[in-house]
């Protein structure tokens, strides 16, 4: 029987995973992604994705880790957050939908 290796890194920033963490649907559930694979990310990384992109943008253009990382705002965030401890969380990061209210 093959051993299954558990990946214990955030696929967005590359740091070791720590709490708080979230599952991210590469295609948003509200846009048909209910049964699509999820990836585990730090909560701050997950919140940043949703602060930068609308769900339509995530579905159409940013539905892979590579595409997310290529966006300037995300790549700048990654450079900044990589200097933080894995447990770091900044509560001031707001999602795009919460900022619009």
């Amino acid at each position: 029987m093959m051993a299954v290796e558990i990946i214990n890194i955030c696929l967005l920033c590359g740091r070791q995973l720590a709490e708080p963490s979230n599952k991210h649907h590469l295609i948003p559930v509200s846009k048909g992604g209910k049964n699509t694979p999820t990836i585990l990310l730090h909560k701050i990384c997950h919140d940043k994705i949703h602060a930068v992109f609308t769900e339509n943008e995530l579905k159409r253009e940013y539905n892979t880790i590579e595409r997310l990382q290529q966006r300037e705002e995300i790549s700048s965030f990654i450079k900044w957050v990589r200097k933080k401890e894995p447990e770091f969380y900044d509560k001031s990061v707001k999602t795009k939908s919460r900022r619009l209210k």
Side-chain angles (χ1 to χ4, degrees):
M1 187 165 132
M2 263 177 77
V4 176
E5 183 179 340
I6 297 173
I7 298 173
N8 197 26
I9 62 165
C10 174
L11 293 178
L12 188 71
C13 73
R15 295 177 299 145
Q16 181 178 348
L17 274 170
E19 292 299 324
S21 61
N22 291 132
K23 288 182 181 178
H24 172 68
H25 286 85
L26 290 170
I27 297 176
V29 172
S30 66
K31 300 298 176 187
K34 182 179 180 183
N35 296 318
T36 60
T38 60
I39 56 173
L40 200 54
L41 305 173
H42 292 106
K43 180 168 176 28
I44 193 170
C45 296
H46 191 224
D47 288 351
K48 184 64 176 183
I49 289 169
H50 288 283
V52 172
F53 304 106
T54 65
E55 296 209 343
N56 282 328
E57 289 171 323
L58 289 170
K59 179 183 179 182
R60 285 191 318 261
E61 299 175 56
Y62 297 98
N63 51 33
T64 68
I65 286 296
E66 294 78 17
R67 292 284 295 142
L68 291 166
Q69 291 169 330
Q70 289 171 354
R71 176 76 175 254
E72 177 63 32
E73 193 170 348
I74 298 295
S75 65
S76 295
F77 166 79
I78 291 168
K79 288 176 190 168
W80 172 78
V81 82
R82 279 190 178 153
K83 299 174 188 165
K84 307 292 184 189
E85 294 294 321
E87 299 82 12
F88 175 78
Y89 180 69
D90 181 357
K91 293 178 183 171
S92 69
V93 175
K94 293 190 172 36
T95 65
K96 201 169 230 183
S97 62
R98 282 188 273 167
R99 278 186 287 135
L100 296 174
K101 289 182 180 179

